[in-house]
């Protein structure tokens, strides 16, 4: 029986692309061990009036992958997060991005896709994320689609806290809770990734999504009232069986829910990437043609 979590085609029937292209390995290598945020600047169009727009996104790794723990999934989608109140990028908009990581300059051509309470353009990128075939399942799926617990499952549940970060634990629990949902489970559960990224934020960053005004918005008339309503930190108390965030304090739970409503993930689908290593002068252009990637060394 085929793996119900491996997305082999997109809804339109497009064959999956190579989700481990050589440029991905370059980025993982160049960003490994970074001790400060790394920002990608993209030029695109405004969703409201199609005017030119420039946005700055913090790099948060690849969709479905966690450096702190194995999720069992892999993709070639660069990922960032933002506040829906200030997110103005048009749906599936083409963008040109510039990204500097130490002595490495990346110029990226691609398309932006968003996921949040009022955004969901993930149908176009389902073929960009697949399950790792060698990842050990914590549940066996019968041919009828019912769940059969393995001996290892109880052990994994007991050790989730010590083996994985809260973000990875949320992701795995959300995925696991959807195993019995029938044919629809053949698609990747994008909400699991949104929950993982929400858990992965620092308490300080998570708190900003609850503030009365988001970064870049006009100040309200009573600025003191705005400041009083701002919490400095917002921690997640625990994670339930479906990967959702919980807190025993009712007020903090309400804040978490409010912040999550404003929380948007942005997936950057790469079509071409130009990598210039300034330290040795090497420059390589990677280009996607259909589902295949090609690379060529060019003059710096």
């Amino acid at each position: 029986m085929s793996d119900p979590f491996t997305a082999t085609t997109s809804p339109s029937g497009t064959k999956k692309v190579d989700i481990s292209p050589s440029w991905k390995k370059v980025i993982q290598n160049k960003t490994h061990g970074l001790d400060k945020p790394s920002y990608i600047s993209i030029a695109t169009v405004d969703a409201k009036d199609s005017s030119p727009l420039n946005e700055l996104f913090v790099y948060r790794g690849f969709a479905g992958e966690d450096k702190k723990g194995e999720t069992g999934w892999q993709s070639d989608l660069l990922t960032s997060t933002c506040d829906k109140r200030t997110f103005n990028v048009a749906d599936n908009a083409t963008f040109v991005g510039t990204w500097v990581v130490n002595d490495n300059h990346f110029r990226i051509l691609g398309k932006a896709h968003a996921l949040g309470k009022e955004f969901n353009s993930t149908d176009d990128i389902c073929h960009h994320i697949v399950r790792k075939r060698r990842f050990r399942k914590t549940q066996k799926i019968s041919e009828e689609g019912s769940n059969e617990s393995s001996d290892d499952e109880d052990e994994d549940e007991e050790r989730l806290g010590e083996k994985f970060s809260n973000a990875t634990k949320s992701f795995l629990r959300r995925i696991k809770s959807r195993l019995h949902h029938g044919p629809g489970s053949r698609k990747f559960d994008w909400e699991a990734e949104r929950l993982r990224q929400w858990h992965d934020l620092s308490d300080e960053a998570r708190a900003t999504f609850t503030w009365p005004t988001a970064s870049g918005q006009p100040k309200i008339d009573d600025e003191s009232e705005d400041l009083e309503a701002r919490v400095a930190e917002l921690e997640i108390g625990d994670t339930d069986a479906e990967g959702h965030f919980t807190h025993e304090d009712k007020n903090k739970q309400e804040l978490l829910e409010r912040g999550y409503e404003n929380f948007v993930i942005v997936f950057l689908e790469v079509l071409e990437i130009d990598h210039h290593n300034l330290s040795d002068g090497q420059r390589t252009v990677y280009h996607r043609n259909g589902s295949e990637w090609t690379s060529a060394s060019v003059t710096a």
Side-chain angles (χ1 to χ4, degrees):
M1 183 179 62
S2 61
D3 187 340
F5 275 113
T6 301
T8 55
T9 61
S10 69
S12 61
T14 305
K15 291 183 178 179
K16 68 178 181 181
V17 298
D18 177 6
I19 45 82
S20 295
S22 51
W23 61 262
K24 176 182 175 180
K25 299 178 179 64
V26 172
I27 287 178
Q28 289 174 321
N29 180 53
K30 301 303 180 183
T31 57
H32 179 71
L34 285 180
D35 56 359
K36 58 183 178 180
S38 184
Y39 295 92
I40 305 173
S41 176
I42 73 168
T44 183
V45 293
D46 194 301
K48 298 177 182 177
D49 55 13
S50 298
S51 60
L53 176 71
N54 185 266
E55 292 280 5
L56 196 64
F57 291 118
V58 62
Y59 168 67
R60 298 197 181 280
F62 288 89
E65 301 182 19
D66 195 331
K67 293 182 292 185
K68 303 173 186 176
E70 178 61 80
T71 67
W73 291 81
Q74 57 185 342
S75 78
D76 66 344
L77 298 167
L78 296 171
T79 306
S80 186
T81 57
C82 66
D83 194 309
K84 77 174 184 181
R85 295 171 291 180
T86 55
F87 180 71
N88 297 314
V89 178
D91 217 13
N92 299 333
T94 299
F95 72 86
V96 175
T98 300
W99 186 15
V100 178
V101 183
N102 297 325
D103 291 334
N104 298 273
H105 182 275
F106 298 95
R107 178 185 176 277
I108 307 169
L109 172 66
K111 289 187 176 183
H113 309 269
L115 174 65
K117 185 175 181 181
E118 299 174 7
F119 307 91
N120 191 353
S121 58
T122 56
D123 281 348
D124 296 319
I125 54 174
C126 286
H127 52 298
H128 283 271
I129 187 163
V130 298
R131 194 178 192 194
K132 293 181 179 179
R133 295 187 181 280
R134 293 189 177 182
F135 182 66
R136 182 173 61 83
K137 301 177 184 178
T138 58
Q139 286 187 314
K140 297 177 181 178
I141 312 302
S142 70
E143 293 185 1
E144 291 78 18
S146 62
N147 290 340
E148 295 178 358
S149 297
S150 66
D151 293 337
D152 292 331
E153 181 185 345
D154 293 335
E155 178 187 354
D156 285 346
E157 274 297 301
E158 293 172 0
R159 299 183 62 191
L160 274 177
E162 65 184 68
K163 290 176 63 177
F164 302 113
S165 66
N166 287 335
T168 303
K169 181 168 65 173
S170 166
F171 180 92
L172 293 175
R173 284 184 172 175
R174 170 78 183 192
I175 292 291
K176 182 178 176 181
S177 72
R178 293 301 189 269
L179 288 176
H180 61 284
H181 282 202
S185 65
R186 291 181 180 276
K187 290 184 181 179
F188 175 69
D189 187 349
W190 293 99
E191 192 63 21
E193 175 62 7
R194 184 168 171 242
L195 283 167
R196 185 183 73 82
Q197 292 284 357
W198 179 245
H199 278 75
D200 203 38
L201 293 176
S202 67
D203 293 344
E204 294 80 5
R206 193 181 300 110
T208 64
F209 288 88
T210 71
W211 292 356
T213 54
S215 176
Q217 285 189 310
K219 293 182 178 180
I220 61 177
D221 293 336
D222 190 344
E223 188 174 351
S224 61
E225 181 179 335
D226 185 1
L227 293 175
E228 288 177 3
R230 296 188 176 194
V231 294
E233 299 180 359
L234 182 60
E235 74 279 5
I236 292 175
D238 203 353
T239 304
D240 67 19
E242 293 201 353
H244 200 70
F245 47 88
T246 64
H247 203 291
E248 61 182 4
D249 185 313
K250 182 179 178 181
N251 292 330
K252 288 190 176 181
Q253 181 64 29
E254 290 178 353
L255 284 173
L256 286 168
E257 298 288 351
R258 184 199 308 171
Y260 195 61
E261 285 190 3
N262 293 326
F263 184 65
V264 174
I265 299 184
V266 181
F267 301 107
L268 302 180
E269 175 190 359
V270 178
L271 302 176
E272 182 176 286
I273 187 163
D274 183 338
H275 171 221
H276 187 187
N277 188 328
L278 301 179
S279 62
D280 61 15
Q282 296 296 314
R283 183 178 174 189
T284 306
V285 176
Y286 306 86
H287 178 76
R288 197 181 90 197
N289 184 12
S291 60
E292 302 296 328
W293 282 96
T294 60
S295 63
S297 296
V298 298
T299 304

